Amino acid sequence: MLPIAIQLYTVRDAAEADFEGTLRGIKAMGYEGVEFAGLYGNSPAKIKALCEEIGLKPISAHVPYYDMVADPKGVLSDYAEIGCEYVAIPYLTEECRPGTDGFAKVVENAAMLGKMAKELGMTLLYHNHDFEFEKIDGKYALEVLYDTVPAELLETELDTCWVRVGGEDPAPYVRKYAGRAPIVHLKDYVGGKSEHMYELIGIDSDEKKPDENPFELRPVGSGCQDIPAIVAAAEYAGAKWVVVEQDQPSMGLTPMQCAEKSINYLRSL
């Protein structure tokens, strides 16, 4: 089994209340690494020291796209100081998505940020949702991005939930990027694509009609995803890590309980 990390956005409320305690808690569950989504007011030096003391590898960070573009060296240097090997573009707001004029600028900036990350000893990743599966001249926008920016400047961080929601089978899609997929996000769910599903990642929807097949994020192994096939694909693709991510808790569990349920399932494989 590949080493397992957690995207700290999964347990963000706990991390906000007690950052060190949360890190110790996820280490006790068996997680080997962490992917950051904010530093919760802590300095890079303090986080580096905490991770070393606790025994967690700071593998990566999700950093807002506009923050990186506004101050590439300043922002990325913080994560280099922590010891992250990777830094990811995590999400695009509507004006930057495929189908808008802003997407071409995203592709251009990804190359620029990839060069800066490389200068600092890191690798830039792109973390997808489903909207990158809109086609541009017959090709998925996600593939346009990866085909335009060379692998030496940009590698993949495929979110397997959103790959499936976007219409592709996650395991073969991960295999497609063999050699360019160092981190694979494991995210499970039930239900179907809907107007409301982004509310689960903190994005409000104007449409309030009830869903016939409600979308719900679930602990890994508790939803519709073929997790063993995805893990096997990640291994085939040369991934170094799989990362558990669950944007909202479910099944009557707290975020920390969801995190524990996910890793217990993965360790049972």
Side-chain angles (χ1 to χ4, degrees), residues 123-124 146 148-156 179-180:
T123 299
L124 182 70
Y146 288 136
T148 305
V149 184
E152 65 181 23
L153 298 180
L154 181 68
E155 296 195 348
T156 74
R180 198 179 179 179

Side-chain angles (χ1 to χ4, degrees), residues 97-247:
R97 294 179 190 172
T100 72
D101 293 339
F103 185 68
K105 192 65 177 177
V106 169
V107 175
E108 180 183 327
N109 281 332
M112 177 272 291
L113 293 170
K115 290 175 184 176
M116 179 56 68
K118 191 172 183 180
E119 287 179 15
L120 294 167
M122 299 184 294
T123 299
L124 182 70
L125 309 176
Y126 184 87
H127 170 268
N128 64 281
H129 290 77
D130 68 305
F131 48 75
E132 294 91 347
F133 288 88
E134 178 177 328
K135 289 191 173 180
I136 299 174
D137 297 329
K139 184 188 291 188
Y140 289 136
L142 187 63
E143 294 171 358
V144 170
L145 173 66
Y146 288 136
D147 289 351
T148 305
V149 184
E152 65 181 23
L153 298 180
L154 181 68
E155 296 195 348
T156 74
E157 185 175 61
L158 294 172
D159 185 301
T160 54
C161 163
W162 297 118
V163 168
R164 181 167 175 165
V165 173
E168 289 288 333
D169 186 347
Y173 205 78
V174 170
R175 288 173 178 264
K176 172 184 172 72
Y177 286 99
R180 198 179 179 179
I183 299 177
V184 174
H185 266 214
L186 302 181
K187 185 184 291 184
D188 216 339
Y189 72 99
V190 295
K193 187 170 183 175
S194 77
E195 296 297 321
H196 303 288
M197 62 187 183
Y198 280 143
E199 292 178 1
L200 297 176
I201 60 171
I203 309 298
D204 288 335
S205 170
D206 293 332
E207 179 60 61
K208 295 302 179 186
K209 291 186 300 183
D211 293 325
E212 294 181 4
N213 187 22
F215 184 89
E216 180 180 83
L217 297 167
R218 289 279 185 88
V220 175
S222 300
C224 66
Q225 295 273 55
D226 186 348
I227 299 299
I230 293 170
V231 171
E235 291 173 335
Y236 170 87
K240 296 181 180 180
W241 291 87
V242 289
V243 173
V244 168
E245 182 180 40
Q246 186 177 343
D247 305 77

